[in-house]
Amino acid sequence: MFRNFLSVKDVTNMELLVQQAMSYKAQQLKRPTLGAGKKIGLLFFNPSMRTRLSTQIAASNLGMESIVYNIDKEGWKMEFEDGAIMNGDAVEHIKDAAPVLGQYFDILGIRTFPGLTDREADYQETLLHHFKKHTGIPVVSLESATVHPLQSLADILTIEEQLKLRSTGKKPKVVLTWAPHIKPLPQCVANSFSEWVNAWGKSDFVITHPPGFELDTAFTNGAQITTNQEEALADADFVYVKNWSSFENYGQMATGDTSDWMLTLDKLKATHDAKVMHCLPVRRNVELSDEVLDSPYSLVSQQAGNRVWAAQAVLSNMLENIL
Ligand code: CP
């Protein structure tokens, strides 16, 4: 049981959490009344398909009502600065809005991407922590400035499922590879995947990226890191593909032609018939080629499907904690 779910640090027993997610996958209506009479508010400061729908389905499977609030489009512009003189375009302060949400809901889910201009503010998770402080109710991250824990739990679940099917008796090699993109993206998914795989501890974990795209070591410590993608992919069992912008040169994307970092079927030949993962949405033929995404090596749909069971396991732990 845990009160909040903001990162892997909230999870005391990952093995149990993954087992719970698997048991919901086997029997989705296992606990249909656990959330009866309870409401989750899902606040989106940014777009979503998978996170929004999988969390709503998970809540529904537990008998819990979910209400989506696209606060970026439908809400009042919010002020976050303590002591702000609110004579600008912000209409209400988080100190006033968040407690109201705490009155309406039993759990609050929040999606808030980083601005990618102020590294310190992003990495302090200012907005998420303001909500946590002022709502007075448990908070679940729907992807924040630095991590995406619901995605990462689904990723570990997906890998565990595959390992049951192809047990070789040796530790799997899991590779996180940087991929090209047309615009600067957050480091969240890569950070989160890294810290979850490190905490999981059942793989040889390798991260590969071009020079200048090192992630924060707070997330990657324990992984082997190389700028040689070919070397990283050798004998890989799982290849997780993701773009991220620079942490060091904060928020900057790669300059020059990086198209040779795209994962292709040809590159997979060096692997151990590796399964390919991506959190989606994916830019076809930029990050990953059509031939990989449309091949039996791709796990991306299964991974997205597993978002439901990950969310259901997390919500049931949070509900048990407040019942
Ligand atoms: N992977 C993921 O979080 O997808 P959405 O942005 O569609 O929620």
Side-chain angles (χ1 to χ4, degrees):
M1 285 193 293
F2 36 80
R3 176 174 167 82
N4 300 295
F5 186 74
L6 305 181
S7 80
V8 74
K9 294 181 186 70
D10 290 310
V11 178
T12 47
N13 189 336
M14 191 189 296
E15 194 141 358
L16 180 62
L17 190 60
V18 171
Q19 273 171 20
Q20 287 169 341
M22 280 182 180
S23 70
Y24 282 124
K25 184 166 185 172
Q27 192 186 354
Q28 59 182 293
L29 295 181
K30 195 175 166 188
R31 304 186 74 185
T33 60
L34 180 65
K38 299 274 188 282
K39 291 186 180 63
I40 181 168
L42 301 172
L43 256 68
F44 286 89
F45 284 90
N46 310 95
S48 170
M49 179 173 90
R50 283 145 286 267
T51 306
R52 170 186 167 159
L53 297 177
S54 61
T55 310
Q56 287 195 280
I57 295 165
S60 167
N61 286 346
L62 295 167
M64 186 183 204
E65 187 178 351
S66 61
I67 296 177
V68 172
Y69 182 22
N70 293 312
I71 193 165
D72 59 329
K73 298 183 189 71
E74 299 157 1
W76 299 111
K77 188 165 171 48
M78 206 172 284
E79 177 62 60
F80 296 96
E81 283 291 318
D82 256 347
I85 298 168
M86 291 178 57
N87 57 3
D89 57 352
V91 175
E92 70 177 332
H93 203 282
I94 183 140
K95 289 205 275 191
D96 302 310
V100 175
L101 298 172
Q103 301 276 315
Y104 295 159
F105 299 113
D106 301 281
I107 296 177
L108 191 63
I110 303 169
R111 166 165 284 201
T112 167
F113 288 171
L116 290 181
T117 53
D118 181 342
R119 186 169 91 175
E120 196 179 331
D122 286 346
Y123 273 70
Q124 281 175 353
E125 294 282 10
T126 312
L127 191 145
L128 196 65
H129 288 297
H130 274 305
F131 271 104
K132 187 180 162 200
K133 181 173 168 189
H134 296 296
T135 55
I137 57 171
V139 174
V140 53
S141 167
L142 304 175
E143 185 170 352
S144 66
T146 63
V147 287
H148 194 357
L150 284 175
Q151 177 68 54
S152 305
L153 175 57
D155 297 339
I156 297 290
L157 169 62
T158 306
I159 293 173
E160 287 266 17
E161 282 179 333
Q162 287 297 314
L163 291 177
K164 281 187 199 292
L165 298 176
R166 54 184 277 177
S167 177
T168 59
K170 77 168 186 62
K171 261 190 174 182
K173 180 176 178 183
V174 175
V175 177
L176 168 62
T177 180
W178 186 92
H181 206 278
I182 60 150
K183 61 179 196 173
L185 295 188
Q187 293 102 35
C188 322
V189 169
N191 283 343
S192 202
F193 184 70
S194 299
E195 70 173 356
W196 278 75
V197 172
N198 280 327
W200 181 56
K202 295 187 191 173
S203 70
D204 290 323
F205 183 36
V206 180
I207 302 173
T208 185
H209 54 70
F213 286 84
E214 292 74 14
L215 293 163
D216 184 350
T217 53
F219 301 95
T220 61
N221 264 338
Q224 194 188 317
I225 297 167
T226 172
T227 55
N228 185 332
Q229 190 192 43
E230 192 181 342
E231 183 186 289
L233 292 176
D235 295 324
D237 296 289
F238 295 90
V239 182
Y240 200 106
V241 181
K242 188 71 185 86
N243 171 269
W244 60 88
S245 59
S246 175
F247 175 69
E248 184 59 37
N249 193 10
Y250 193 61
Q252 298 301 303
M253 57 188 284
T255 52
D257 183 9
T258 54
S259 56
D260 61 340
W261 276 84
M262 179 174 79
L263 191 72
T264 60
L265 217 45
D266 195 45
K267 288 184 186 179
L268 283 184
K269 286 180 187 157
T271 69
H272 186 224
D273 283 335
K275 293 291 187 183
V276 177
M277 303 174 71
H278 188 287
C279 61
L280 301 182
V282 63
R283 297 263 180 172
R284 278 179 173 252
N285 303 310
V286 176
E287 295 174 83
L288 268 163
S289 67
D290 273 341
E291 56 181 9
V292 174
L293 280 164
D294 298 333
S295 78
Y297 297 111
S298 173
L299 291 180
V300 299
S301 299
Q302 181 183 330
Q303 209 182 331
N306 282 339
R307 294 290 307 274
V308 173
W309 322 118
Q312 201 164 335
V314 167
L315 292 184
S316 50
N317 274 274
M318 294 175 79
L319 283 165
E320 277 173 356
N321 195 58
I322 58 177
L323 288 176

